Amino acid sequence: MSQATQRERTVAFEELGPAEEGTTSDEVVIALSPGFGEMTTETLSGVSHAEILREVMAGLEEEGVSIRVIRTYDTVDLGRMGLISSNLSGSGISIAIQARGTTLIHQEDLLQLDNLSCSHRGRCWCPRRSVRSGRTPPGTRKARVRSR
């Protein structure tokens, strides 16, 4: 693999301390599992974590929202990651991503397993689907995202 290709397939994280509750109403939090980009660097289908994160963030940027990335250390349970991160999000909306590629979109006032969207695409992940993960689910933009 060439050096340029290898560089594109990696992601570096800088720890900034404990995640705090967001204050801007347009913020969406992306929650990463403990092993995402650390213990493993690819999904079950071989797609790099860097590419997944880049594509999800691109989808969110197209929606015009602000983005904050956090890592959950106390759980790899996707429902729990979604609940924790949506409670930290300024808009109350979050996207949780496991290292194997499974993603979930959650809203803060929903129960842990009552999420807006869950995608079990660890084995068949592709960039187009990931960009869609970063977009607001149809019919939820005005009804679900609210100011605090």
Side-chain angles (χ1 to χ4, degrees):
M1 186 179 295
S2 74
Q3 218 174 21
T5 304
Q6 183 65 25
R7 211 174 311 123
E8 291 174 352
R9 295 178 52 93
T10 61
V11 62
F13 297 99
E14 178 183 350
E15 294 286 332
L16 301 175
E20 297 183 8
E21 192 171 326
T23 57
T24 60
S25 62
D26 71 337
E27 176 190 63
V28 173
V29 169
I30 298 173
L32 305 177
S33 66
F36 189 97
E38 298 288 326
M39 295 163 41
T40 62
T41 58
E42 295 181 341
T43 66
L44 295 176
S45 60
V47 179
S48 77
H49 289 163
E51 183 177 0
I52 290 175
L53 189 56
R54 188 172 24 256
E55 294 294 333
V56 169
M57 291 176 75
L60 289 168
E61 287 171 359
E62 285 179 18
E63 290 291 317
V65 299
S66 62
I67 304 163
R68 181 165 49 124
V69 179
I70 67 167
R71 184 180 303 278
T72 59
Y73 287 105
D74 61 341
T75 186
V76 295
D77 178 86
L78 197 59
R80 184 83 179 127
M81 289 170 54
L83 180 66
I84 290 167
S85 56
S86 66
N87 287 326
L88 292 172
S89 173
S91 69
I93 303 293
S94 68
I95 299 174
I97 309 172
Q98 286 180 324
R100 64 177 158 186
T102 307
T103 60
L104 174 136
I105 301 174
H106 201 277
Q107 180 179 317
E108 71 177 333
D109 59 353
L110 298 177
L111 298 173
Q112 181 170 321
L113 297 176
D114 187 18
N115 48 67
L116 298 176
S117 173
C118 185
S119 171
H120 304 282
R121 295 192 189 112
R123 296 190 187 275
C124 62
W125 188 92
C126 71
R128 175 179 276 152
R129 288 180 178 152
S130 185
V131 170
R132 282 192 227 126
S133 292
R135 292 189 180 132
T136 307
T140 61
R141 185 171 193 176
K142 292 179 181 167
R144 302 282 187 185
V145 179
R146 62 189 184 286
S147 299
R148 288 180 175 257

